[in-house]
Amino acid sequence: FGEPPMTIHILHLPERVEMIENHLANLGHFESKVTYSLKYNDKGNKASVKYSVLLTKPYVIQDIDVLERDLPIELKNHISDFLQNEAKTQRASEFNIENIETDKENLLVYLQDKGYFYLKKQHIDVEADTTVGDREVDLRYALNPLLSEEQLHPVVVKELVVAIDTPVLQPTEQFHIVNGSDYKIKSTLIDKLSVIDTGDYSSVSSTLKTLRNFSSVGIFYESNVRVVL
């Protein structure tokens, strides 16, 4: 009954120590030390493992800023606004790599909703400088210096294509509207359901919201929204 016993070498104790130390470092406890010891029974055929942790004080965020690197001022301001008002990581908070990764993901969504359609998560870099003070760290956000001009500027919606059921597209002033043989969709309905307009900056969340609006009406078998940039 129960699980079979494990031999000591299967536990890979040195690797486990390294994993624990890396996890603590990700939470800001740099230079923490983990050791282990084995306590054998009287027969010497069984042992228990005891881990000991010398936990250091966590590093604290002193400052968060954006590296210039010839960024357009509008883009730099958007990043700064996000870091000040939206990011989980703020000044005086403890260093936490998981929060920083979450901030990078949310920053990407934030920028894509501002029209920076061609930016990807891998384009966002975060540098941590631990030399600024006693267990303090500065974070510097930057974009890949090899990004093109197209990637560094917001893009505008040129056209919105709405496809409903089997598409037979009929152009209107701003939209392509589907006209089936048994029904006609008024352009005013399309206007009400869409939160995107030509001339707007591209926005992922607005595109998804428009698609949800069409789905929520309940009169379309299937609908799809495509934004032409």
Side-chain angles (χ1 to χ4, degrees):
F1 297 97
E3 296 183 359
M6 293 185 295
T7 57
I8 291 296
H9 76 277
I10 292 179
L11 294 178
H12 301 291
L13 294 176
E15 289 83 353
R16 291 194 177 198
V17 166
E18 184 178 0
M19 287 176 57
I20 296 172
E21 289 180 343
N22 288 338
H23 178 69
L24 292 173
N26 288 341
L27 297 177
H29 299 277
F30 301 121
E31 298 99 29
S32 292
K33 295 299 180 183
V34 179
T35 57
Y36 69 90
S37 59
L38 298 173
K39 183 178 180 180
Y40 291 89
N41 65 357
D42 293 339
K43 293 183 179 181
N45 59 354
K46 291 183 179 181
S48 59
V49 182
K50 178 182 179 181
Y51 293 96
S52 299
V53 180
L54 180 60
L55 190 64
T56 59
K57 290 177 58 179
Y59 273 70
V60 173
I61 306 298
Q62 175 185 262
D63 190 28
I64 306 173
D65 204 354
V66 184
L67 288 178
E68 293 280 353
R69 291 185 179 171
D70 298 324
L71 288 181
I73 187 63
E74 184 180 18
L75 177 54
K76 181 178 185 295
N77 288 341
H78 284 318
I79 299 175
S80 297
D81 288 344
F82 172 85
L83 296 177
Q84 292 175 13
N85 303 312
E86 305 288 340
K88 295 180 65 174
T89 305
Q90 295 293 331
R91 291 180 178 86
S93 62
E94 294 181 0
F95 180 93
N96 186 312
I97 194 67
E98 292 181 1
N99 288 345
I100 294 173
E101 285 298 315
T102 298
D103 286 337
K104 287 177 62 176
E105 294 171 359
N106 292 338
L107 173 60
L108 175 64
V109 174
Y110 184 86
L111 292 176
Q112 287 182 336
D113 281 344
K114 300 293 184 183
Y116 297 90
F117 179 81
Y118 297 108
L119 286 181
K120 306 298 179 185
K121 183 182 176 182
Q122 61 266 29
H123 297 153
I124 302 174
D125 298 321
V126 182
E127 301 176 3
D129 183 0
T130 59
T131 65
V132 294
D134 182 22
R135 305 204 72 78
E136 293 179 325
V137 57
D138 283 354
L139 296 182
R140 297 287 180 263
Y141 279 73
L143 297 183
N144 190 306
L146 300 179
L147 293 179
S148 66
E149 284 297 310
E150 183 181 47
Q151 292 170 307
L152 294 175
H153 289 86
V155 294
V156 172
V157 175
K158 296 179 181 178
E159 183 182 22
L160 179 67
V161 178
V162 179
I164 303 169
D165 294 336
T166 303
V168 182
L169 300 179
Q170 300 292 334
T172 64
E173 182 178 352
Q174 292 183 338
F175 304 99
H176 285 308
I177 312 255
V178 171
N179 289 309
S181 58
D182 298 326
Y183 60 84
K184 280 195 173 184
I185 306 300
K186 293 183 177 180
S187 61
T188 54
L189 175 60
I190 302 294
D191 290 342
K192 290 180 180 179
L193 296 177
S194 175
V195 296
I196 314 170
D197 202 353
T198 54
D200 292 344
Y201 285 139
S202 167
S203 169
V204 174
S205 63
S206 294
T207 302
L208 293 176
K209 185 176 181 180
T210 297
L211 184 57
R212 287 195 298 269
N213 287 348
F214 276 92
S215 300
S216 66
V217 172
I219 63 174
F220 305 127
Y221 174 73
E222 183 179 353
S223 58
N224 183 41
V225 175
R226 180 167 59 90
V227 175
V228 180
L229 305 176

